[in-house]
């Protein structure tokens, strides 16, 4: 049975009017009361009544995607264009469009969600790059927007999630390198503010732990090529550098591979490299890149489908779990052979 405003009011010990004010971002309740109501609503699994909302505003027939990343990184990373193509494929079949917003300045992301809701430009939003203690969940409850999240956040959320486990592929990559004989395996990961950045690091560290190896070679980067190069340079300049590096995406792996080759290292004899996403160009590098085969097209399509079903009242509320990405081995990984440049392994 769906949770109602009355249920939230009873659990929070306030009136239905106070709940309405809090959930719609209106004046009339104190900030402490508003926070208590929003927390109670999330804990109970309350979701906005989309049918009631349609009575007071016209249907937009559009979904929103707000991306808070540097536009330069978005332009160079094949993940987002492919993910957006997956969304668009589903929306086109259902007569909807996508409203894409890139928010880079402080406060721009929250302002974007508020504008989309208050102007009635979208019927719901897709939340990507889930963060630790993600404040967007409470914000969307306040705004009364429907949503779907990419993977389950680590805070209470009433919204359905489309999940794709990114830890199994990383664990496979590390174990593959251990089985080849590597003992100094580094990880160049994404921002630890993102849940996927943290989960990939944990998968790397846990697999090394299981094999009795140290996990002291970690560098946090931004998923972009420049920081991929900088992280690789840092690792290779160390007294006891790694013989293998596991990167959190193909962009950083490609940049790292190029840097190592430019500085006289042979891939994979002197340094093994793995990426993540299995972008189309990965198979054409020299040597071809060992990577983890995620499917952003499927993820985008599934996320749009779940959100549309939610808007139309046909989604059962359960999370959708997609197949976990697996390791695709190519020429960039092999048993360590010793370095051709100064430095020991």
């Amino acid at each position: 049975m769906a949770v109602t405003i009355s249920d939230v009011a009873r659990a929070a010990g306030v009136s239905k009017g106070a709940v309405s004010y809090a959930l719609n971002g209106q004046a009339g309740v104190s900030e402490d009361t508003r926070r208590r109501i929003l927390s109670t609503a999330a804990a109970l699994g309350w979701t906005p009544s989309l049918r009631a909302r349609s009575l007071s505003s016209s249907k937009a027939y559009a979904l929103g995607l707000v991306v808070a990343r540097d536009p330069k990184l978005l332009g160079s990373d094949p993940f987002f264009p492919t993910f957006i193509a997956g969304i668009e494929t589903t929306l086109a079949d259902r007569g909807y469009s996508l409203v894409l917003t890139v928010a880079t300045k402080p406060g721009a992301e929250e302002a974007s969600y508020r504008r989309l809701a208050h102007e009635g430009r979208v019927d719901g939003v897709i939340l990507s790059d889930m963060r630790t203690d993600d404040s967007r969940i409470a914000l969307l409850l306040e705004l009364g927007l429907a949503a779907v999240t990419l993977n389950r956040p680590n805070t209470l959320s009433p919204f359905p999630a489309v999940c794709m486990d990114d830890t199994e592929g990383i664990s496979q990559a590390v174990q593959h390198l251990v089985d080849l004989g590597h003992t100094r395996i580094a990880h160049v990961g994404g921002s630890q503010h993102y849940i996927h950045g943290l989960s990939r690091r944990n998968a790397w560290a846990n697999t090394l732990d299981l094999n009795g190896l140290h996990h002291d070679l970690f560098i946090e980067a931004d998923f972009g090529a420049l920081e991929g190069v900088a992280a690789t340079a840092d690792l290779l300049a160390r007294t006891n550098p790694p013989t293998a590096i596991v990167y959190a995406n193909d962009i950083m792996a490609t940049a790292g591979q190029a840097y190592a080759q430019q500085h006289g290292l042979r891939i994979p004899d002197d340094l093994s490299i793995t990426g993540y996403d299995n972008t189309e160009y990965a198979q054409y590098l020299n040597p071809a890149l060992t990577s983890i085969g995620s499917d952003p097209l499927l993820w985008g399509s599934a996320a749009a489908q779940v959100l549309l079903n939610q808007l139309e009242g046909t989604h059962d509320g359960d999370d959708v779990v997609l197949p976990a990405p697996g390791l695709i081995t190519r020429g960039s990984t092999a048993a360590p052979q010793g370095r051709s440049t100064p430095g020991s392994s």
Side-chain angles (χ1 to χ4, degrees), residues 18-230:
V19 174
S20 180
Y21 288 140
L23 296 177
N24 289 289
Q26 297 174 344
V29 293
S30 69
E31 284 305 309
D32 286 344
T33 300
R34 187 188 306 278
R35 282 194 292 270
R36 185 169 83 252
I37 291 170
L38 292 175
S39 177
T40 301
L44 291 176
W46 176 86
T47 53
S49 173
L50 300 171
R51 184 170 299 173
R53 181 179 173 221
S54 69
L55 296 175
S56 59
S57 63
S58 60
K59 198 173 180 69
Y61 290 98
L63 303 184
L65 177 64
V66 179
V67 181
R69 288 208 197 183
D70 186 331
K72 293 180 181 178
L73 297 181
L74 291 178
S76 62
D77 189 345
F79 175 89
F80 272 101
T82 307
F83 174 73
I84 290 169
I87 296 174
E88 293 278 17
T89 299
T90 295
L91 296 189
D93 292 338
R94 303 280 285 271
Y96 279 71
S97 60
L98 177 67
V99 178
L100 174 64
T101 303
V102 179
T104 56
K105 296 180 180 179
E109 187 177 27
E110 179 176 337
S112 296
Y113 285 114
R114 291 189 179 279
R115 184 171 61 254
L116 291 173
H118 293 158
E119 295 177 0
R121 297 181 61 195
V122 298
D123 300 309
V125 294
I126 297 171
L127 286 189
S128 65
D129 285 337
M130 302 308 299
R131 300 104 189 237
T132 55
D133 300 321
D134 204 313
S135 62
R136 295 174 296 174
I137 302 299
L139 173 63
L140 295 181
L141 285 171
E142 174 192 330
L143 297 175
L145 274 176
V148 61
T149 64
L150 300 188
N151 280 328
R152 174 62 45 188
N154 66 351
T155 54
L156 288 171
S157 169
F159 303 117
V162 178
C163 304
M164 185 180 289
D165 180 15
D166 61 355
T167 62
E168 184 175 331
I170 291 289
S171 297
Q172 289 176 2
V174 176
Q175 190 61 53
H176 166 64
L177 293 167
V178 171
D179 291 344
L180 287 172
H182 294 273
T183 59
R184 297 282 291 166
I185 302 171
H187 180 46
V188 177
S191 168
Q192 299 301 282
H193 181 54
Y194 295 138
I195 289 178
H196 57 73
L198 188 59
S199 66
R200 293 177 195 184
R201 178 182 182 179
N202 288 339
W204 161 78
N206 291 340
T207 308
L208 289 177
D209 271 340
L210 289 173
N211 287 277
L213 299 175
H214 295 296
H215 45 83
D216 55 339
L217 293 170
F218 169 77
I219 294 183
E220 180 177 343
D222 67 354
F223 291 108
L226 288 179
E227 290 203 13
V229 166

Side-chain angles (χ1 to χ4, degrees), residues 309-334:
N309 289 347
Q310 184 187 168
L311 290 165
E312 295 171 2
T314 60
H315 182 63
D316 59 14
D318 292 335
D319 291 348
V320 172
V321 180
L322 301 177
L327 184 68
I328 300 168
T329 56
R330 297 192 180 100
S332 67
T333 52

Side-chain angles (χ1 to χ4, degrees), residues 177-178 180-186 217 235-236 240-246 265-274 332-339 343-345:
L177 293 167
V178 171
L180 287 172
H182 294 273
T183 59
R184 297 282 291 166
I185 302 171
L217 293 170
L235 289 167
L236 296 180
N240 192 16
T243 60
I245 305 176
V246 174
L265 293 179
R266 300 166 299 166
I267 310 295
D269 292 344
D270 300 321
L271 180 68
S272 285
I273 284 177
T274 72
S332 67
T333 52
Q337 299 298 317
R339 296 191 183 280
S344 62
S345 60

